Amino acid sequence: MSTQFLERLYNPYDLLFRNLFEAGATFTPAAEAKQQYPINIFEDDLGLTFELACTGIPKEAIEVKLEGDMITFAYDKDKTPEPERSYIHRGIAKRSFNLAYKLGTKFNPSKASAKFNDGLLIVTVPFAKEAAPKVLKIN
């Protein structure tokens, strides 16, 4: 088994030793690697929208907190009791999350709205009125 990089064949062991002795190389063990939680963030005509995948998580267990210019999404798996089951395959990750994002001044967090539909949490933060562009009259 080999991998082709820039027209040259490397053995996987060549790559291992090259990275091992490289001065700037860092290694993160898989147990310490942080997995990204599935979230979409986009801006449209209505404002800023967060779409957070919450498959199998009851909406009562999810906490959405708006403090100042920060929005936080949190779910603690340990607080939600799970029934005893003998799984044959377990592919749905109901892992805990604590995500925080800083909102810009052009958004109005006091008028944010949230809805939960088919395992998808959708939070919309509208634009602030002050964020509208101002046209100055030149005297």
Side-chain angles (χ1 to χ4, degrees):
M1 181 176 138
S2 61
T3 308
Q4 187 171 6
F5 289 102
L6 302 174
E7 309 298 326
R8 184 174 171 202
L9 291 175
Y10 286 97
N11 186 314
Y13 296 109
D14 294 337
L15 295 173
L16 173 71
F17 285 108
R18 186 189 71 193
N19 292 338
L20 181 66
F21 295 109
E22 189 175 311
T26 59
F27 176 74
T28 304
E32 295 177 11
K34 183 177 180 184
Q35 295 179 345
Q36 295 293 326
Y37 200 83
I39 185 170
N40 293 333
I41 305 170
F42 60 91
E43 187 177 315
D44 58 9
D45 296 337
L46 302 175
L48 189 65
T49 302
F50 297 87
E51 294 178 335
L52 186 67
C54 300
T55 306
I57 301 172
K59 65 181 178 180
E60 296 80 19
I62 303 167
E63 179 183 21
V64 179
K65 188 187 303 181
L66 289 155
E67 286 186 56
D69 61 349
M70 293 290 292
I71 185 168
T72 306
F73 303 94
Y75 165 69
D76 191 4
K77 180 180 177 181
D78 296 334
K79 291 183 181 178
T80 307
E82 209 172 284
E84 288 292 322
R85 295 181 180 153
S86 177
Y87 288 95
I88 296 169
H89 174 76
R90 190 166 188 173
I92 299 174
K94 297 180 189 175
R95 61 184 182 264
S96 299
F97 57 84
N98 189 358
L99 309 169
Y101 299 94
K102 185 174 175 104
L103 300 173
T105 56
K106 66 180 183 176
F107 301 105
N108 187 356
S110 64
K111 294 191 177 181
S113 63
K115 66 180 178 177
F116 193 80
N117 189 13
D118 296 332
L120 190 65
L121 174 65
I122 301 170
V123 177
T124 304
V125 183
F127 289 111
K129 295 290 183 198
E130 300 83 34
K134 297 178 184 177
V135 179
L136 297 176
K137 183 179 178 183
I138 301 173
N139 294 330

